[in-house]
Amino acid sequence: MANEKTMPKGPGGPRGMRGVAKPKNAGKTIARLLGYMRGQRHLLVFVFIGILCSSLAGVAGTYFLKPIINSIEEGLSTGSFDVAAFVMKLVLMGCIYAVGAAGAYLYSRIMLNISTETMRKIRVDTFTKLQSLPIKYFDTHTHGETMSRFTNDTDTLREMLSQGIPQMFSSSVTIIGVFAFMCILSPLLTMLIIVMVVVITLVVKKIGGQSSKYFKRQQQAIGAVNGYIEEMIEGQKVVKVFCHEEEAKEKFTRINDELFEAASNANTFASVLGPITNNFSYINYALTASIGAGLAVAGVMDIGTVASFLQFTRSFFQPITQISQQFNSIINALAGAERIFELIDEESEPDNGVVTLVYAMKHEDGTLFEASERTGVWAWKYPQPDGSVTYTEVCGDVRFENVVFGYTEEKTVLRGISLYAKPGQKIAFVGSTGAGKTTITNLINRFYDVPDGKITYDGININNIKKSDLRRSLGMVLQDTHLFTGTVAENIRYGKLDATDEEVVRAAKLANAHSFISHLPDGYDTVLTSDGVNLSQGQRQLLSIARAAVADPPVLILDEATSSIDTRTEALIEKGMDTLMEGRTVFVIAHRLSTVRNSHAIMVLEKGEIIERGTHDDLLKQQGKYYQLYTGMFELE
Ligand SMILES: Nc1ncnc2c1ncn2[C@@H]1O[C@H](COP(=O)(O)OP(=O)(O)OP(=O)(O)O)[C@@H](O)[C@H]1O
Ligand SMILES: [Mg+2]
């Protein structure tokens, strides 16, 4: 399980595990992102203006070097220096830079707001979808995969919106601006720069291609190291129990060394790349300076133009490098956005049910009518084609008619299950592990739909009952108990949010959880953390029984609820359960046969089929599988 959670495969894995993933349809994704900015889109105009101001101010400021230097030179050569004009030029240059700075502040500020708001909306949509997904989704997607939508993918997307795209845009504007001014200043020197850019691009491509191979390997190695650490933390107890610390360290050292190797290779290339491009730009600077100086001496060009041009060559290479860096991260972020949208576009759990569950009251003549408050009587409310509604009382009559089911098409888990539970009956399922006991309960509450055969509840096909109402009418104690962060009382109240303190205590007493809760340091106010680690396994089960009991449902399903409880507590629970069971239909799954002994009917399951059924005494008389199980002649697998 830990393995499944921590070692997600494919693009959804931990950050380091991904190479540069390419978006499938970048245009559509961008359009959808823009859709999320609805209401703020007018602000994008200011972002656009801000970026234009900041980039062009940088370019124009550099251009201003020309008149400033020329006026100094003129002053030096003619001997008369117009201080006022010179100061004016300086002030103007200062103003241009000030406008640029204001523009930069404006656009980054607005973009930050837009991206934060966009991410908020996307997170809401993703989480909302997560709550409506069918259980099947979680069967086919690992936790890590789903989690990374909320963590890695959201992070890269936020970075792209707040930094990547504005920077890319600003760099492009700068390049165009600088190029235009360079052409104006000196077409000849500009030609030289173009040749240089082509050479550098070729070299970077050659070396970059090599390094990307190593970077990919490095990312895989980081993924392996992270996955291993996560797994070891989760499985710490198992590691200790089997004294596998040394092996764990050895394996870690091995994969860590692989990471070291991949990282040093990747970085060797990357570290070569920086100096190479730097050196090229120095060579370029020196060449331009020499040629420019020659032209100035020859009188073809003034000294201000040369100085200004030299400054431009410097600011030409920087945005080119920036764009190439941002490009990859934007591509990555778009692929991440697609993964988020994929989750948002997943199909929600379908629900065509029309029959709903309502509180009801009974007239003296036996007719039912709807009540606004809990009355202890529940009714199914049917809408009729003519717009009227009819009510039938919820009794808890559950029937399976030839139900066939498999989680996947290849494997049938339940083969032709037929059974009935009359109101108030206790039906028990026993059988080997993997026989299909939990699967039966998964079908009653419609975690999965039945493809073949049908299940009826008080005569209604459960497919016609609204899922939330069906589940509200069932009290479930799942095989794997899960408690939430919060107090004990809050956890019990999860079964019925408006339960009073008295109701919570009553439910706890019914489940025999009251006595251990009273011994907790803060009683019902004791805070449980991370799935109730501060409780014992049995105590957690008692709490989950209390949680099911507080809802006071007409049907109860207990999946091995008593397996982690000692014999004395089990007897206590059984007593409590008997009270809990009164007037309810109960499905109970237990490996302990003592728990199921007093059931109205016991179903013995084997490989998805009911092979024996009857009361405890009947089954003993039959001397079949149950008899073997009961007399201990047959070990439960
Ligand atoms: N989510 C799932 N996806 C695919 N197959 C599953 C899934 N859950 C259970 N199965 C398969 O269905 C079969 C029945 O499983 P089920 O959980 O119903 O057994 P069980 O009788 O409750 O066993 P146990 O006594 O161990 O709880 C098993 O073979 C199991 O591998
Ligand atoms: Mg089970």
Side-chain angles (χ1 to χ4, degrees):
M1 194 61 196
N3 196 30
E4 200 178 285
K5 265 193 219 170
T6 52
M7 299 289 277
K9 296 171 199 81
R15 183 193 284 272
M17 218 148 168
R18 282 194 243 136
V20 177
K22 293 211 166 52
K24 292 184 201 100
N25 189 341
K28 201 170 137 202
T29 311
I30 291 171
R32 199 155 168 188
L33 281 172
L34 281 172
Y36 273 99
M37 295 176 193
R38 205 176 304 125
Q40 287 177 302
R41 261 185 271 176
H42 58 283
L43 290 176
L44 288 178
V45 177
F46 294 103
V47 172
F48 184 74
I49 296 172
I51 292 178
L52 275 187
C53 282
S54 91
S55 304
L56 292 182
V59 178
T62 311
Y63 185 74
F64 247 77
L65 276 177
K66 178 184 164 176
I68 287 174
I69 291 178
N70 278 349
S71 60
I72 297 174
E73 199 230 347
E74 215 178 279
L76 287 176
S77 56
T78 57
S80 71
F81 190 66
D82 186 349
V83 179
F86 183 73
V87 170
M88 255 326 274
K89 280 175 192 158
L90 278 183
V91 169
L92 199 61
M93 190 175 175
C95 286
I96 290 174
Y97 277 123
V99 168
Y105 175 76
L106 182 80
Y107 88 73
S108 50
R109 190 65 225 223
I110 298 178
M111 243 1 248
L112 205 66
N113 281 350
I114 293 182
S115 62
T116 321
E117 176 62 13
T118 307
M119 292 324 293
R120 188 187 69 80
K121 287 188 201 156
I122 291 180
R123 273 198 305 270
V124 167
D125 277 6
T126 324
F127 190 76
T128 309
K129 173 56 73 166
L130 200 68
Q131 294 300 310
S132 75
L133 288 173
I135 295 287
K136 207 167 186 73
Y137 176 86
F138 299 96
D139 286 349
T140 45
H141 295 78
T142 61
H143 295 195
E145 207 179 317
T146 314
M147 267 311 287
S148 75
R149 307 284 197 278
F150 286 91
T151 51
N152 298 341
D153 293 340
T154 318
D155 260 1
T156 46
L157 184 56
R158 189 182 45 74
E159 268 168 38
M160 176 189 93
L161 290 178
S162 63
Q163 291 169 16
I165 288 188
Q167 258 184 32
M168 184 107 169
F169 185 52
S170 130
S171 299
S172 312
V173 173
T174 307
I175 288 175
I176 296 170
V178 167
F179 188 72
F181 274 100
M182 284 200 307
C183 287
I184 294 170
L185 284 174
S186 165
L188 186 73
L189 288 179
T190 311
M191 293 276 280
L192 178 74
I193 299 285
I194 292 174
V195 172
M196 264 334 223
V197 168
V198 172
V199 172
I200 292 181
T201 315
L202 289 178
V203 172
V204 166
K205 221 169 171 182
K206 180 102 184 89
I207 300 175
Q210 297 272 358
S211 81
S212 82
K213 187 175 75 192
Y214 287 109
F215 266 112
K216 224 168 194 167
R217 209 170 286 166
Q218 179 190 347
Q219 283 177 321
Q220 274 164 357
I222 292 175
V225 167
N226 286 350
Y228 190 70
I229 295 173
E230 262 180 67
E231 205 180 338
M232 285 305 113
I233 293 175
E234 279 198 15
Q236 197 43 237
K237 283 183 186 160
V238 182
V239 172
K240 285 207 192 319
V241 165
F242 289 97
C243 305
H244 264 259
E245 289 96 335
E246 283 310 313
E247 283 87 341
K249 269 191 270 178
E250 260 167 42
K251 179 155 184 210
F252 180 77
T253 314
R254 201 170 65 239
I255 53 176
N256 198 26
D257 285 349
E258 276 165 27
L259 170 60
F260 167 76
E261 221 163 276
S264 31
N265 278 335
N267 290 324
T268 310
F269 274 103
S271 57
V272 172
L273 209 58
I276 287 181
T277 47
N278 267 346
N279 282 332
F280 264 111
S281 72
Y282 288 140
I283 293 171
N284 176 57
Y285 194 79
L287 263 178
T288 321
S290 321
I291 298 175
L295 291 173
V297 170
V300 182
M301 205 180 265
D302 56 55
I303 190 85
T305 308
V306 176
S308 177
F309 194 93
L310 276 176
Q311 195 60 28
F312 275 130
T313 56
R314 285 200 144 171
S315 49
F316 190 60
F317 286 99
Q318 199 193 358
I320 291 182
T321 328
Q322 260 177 7
I323 284 188
S324 64
Q325 282 168 353
Q326 292 295 344
F327 190 73
N328 268 354
S329 74
I330 288 180
I331 292 288
N332 240 338
L334 283 178
E338 275 186 359
R339 282 191 294 272
I340 296 176
F341 291 146
E342 231 168 60
L343 174 62
I344 294 179
D345 292 340
E346 277 291 333
E347 218 166 299
S348 297
E349 193 173 5
D351 192 0
N352 306 321
V354 286
V355 179
T356 51
L357 186 73
V358 292
Y359 300 132
M361 293 237 277
K362 243 186 197 161
H363 266 305
E364 278 167 13
D365 61 0
T367 52
L368 287 166
F369 62 95
E370 199 171 333
S372 54
E373 281 174 18
R374 188 179 276 260
T375 53
V377 179
W378 272 337
W380 296 117
K381 180 177 174 180
Y382 289 84
Q384 299 295 334
D386 63 358
S388 65
V389 286
T390 55
Y391 298 97
T392 48
E393 191 173 347
V394 177
C395 307
D397 179 293
V398 179
R399 286 164 200 270
F400 277 57
E401 286 175 32
N402 211 11
V403 171
V404 178
F405 173 78
Y407 290 97
T408 52
E409 297 208 337
E410 303 87 60
K411 193 178 157 203
T412 312
V413 174
L414 298 180
R415 305 156 211 271
I417 299 284
S418 293
L419 61 93
Y420 62 85
K422 289 193 185 145
Q425 281 191 332
K426 178 178 174 184
I427 308 295
F429 295 105
V430 296
S432 329
T433 181
K437 303 181 294 293
T438 302
T439 308
I440 290 188
T441 66
N442 283 345
L443 297 184
I444 301 179
N445 62 24
R446 286 188 70 195
F447 275 172
Y448 302 89
D449 279 329
V450 183
D452 222 346
K454 72 172 178 184
I455 305 175
T456 59
Y457 191 156
D458 292 331
I460 312 162
N461 186 329
I462 57 165
N463 291 345
N464 295 331
I465 304 177
K466 211 166 157 238
K467 276 186 179 162
S468 53
D469 289 275
L470 171 73
R471 288 173 192 161
R472 214 145 45 89
S473 78
L474 304 167
M476 296 272 309
V477 178
L478 299 173
Q479 188 160 13
D480 30 339
T481 50
H482 186 93
L483 299 172
F484 293 96
T485 304
T487 64
V488 168
E490 280 164 2
N491 265 288
I492 297 179
R493 202 169 271 133
Y494 206 82
K496 181 185 167 211
L497 293 179
D498 58 351
T500 59
D501 288 347
E502 289 73 43
E503 282 177 306
V504 168
V505 175
R506 202 180 325 132
K509 282 185 176 158
L510 216 55
N512 269 300
H514 181 72
S515 81
F516 96 79
I517 296 173
S518 317
H519 286 105
L520 290 175
D522 294 316
Y524 282 84
D525 295 325
T526 309
V527 175
L528 305 178
T529 45
S530 117
D531 200 10
V533 279
N534 39 354
L535 293 182
S536 78
Q537 202 74 18
Q539 289 169 336
R540 287 165 48 177
Q541 286 201 345
L542 290 178
L543 271 192
S544 60
I545 296 175
R547 180 169 61 189
V550 79
D552 194 19
V555 175
L556 257 183
I557 300 172
L558 303 151
D559 196 348
E560 292 194 322
T562 52
S563 68
S564 309
I565 295 166
D566 62 88
T567 340
R568 198 185 67 90
T569 320
E570 192 187 346
L572 280 174
I573 290 184
E574 263 194 71
K575 239 176 36 211
M577 290 266 295
D578 285 342
T579 341
L580 194 63
M581 274 171 49
E582 262 165 45
R584 282 178 234 278
T585 311
V586 180
F587 291 97
V588 54
I589 299 171
H591 279 178
R592 295 184 187 212
L593 300 179
S594 59
T595 324
V596 300
R597 221 154 98 177
N598 62 350
S599 309
H600 293 93
I602 299 166
M603 313 278 162
V604 184
L605 251 95
E606 186 70 39
K607 298 200 177 86
E609 277 175 292
I610 298 176
I611 53 164
E612 284 170 31
R613 64 177 83 203
T615 61
H616 174 72
D617 294 335
D618 291 344
L619 291 177
L620 280 189
K621 268 188 226 137
Q622 278 182 27
Q623 300 222 336
K625 178 83 181 258
Y626 184 79
Y627 176 80
Q628 291 175 340
L629 290 170
Y630 190 73
T631 53
M633 282 163 67
F634 188 89
E635 281 289 313
L636 279 181
E637 287 150 27

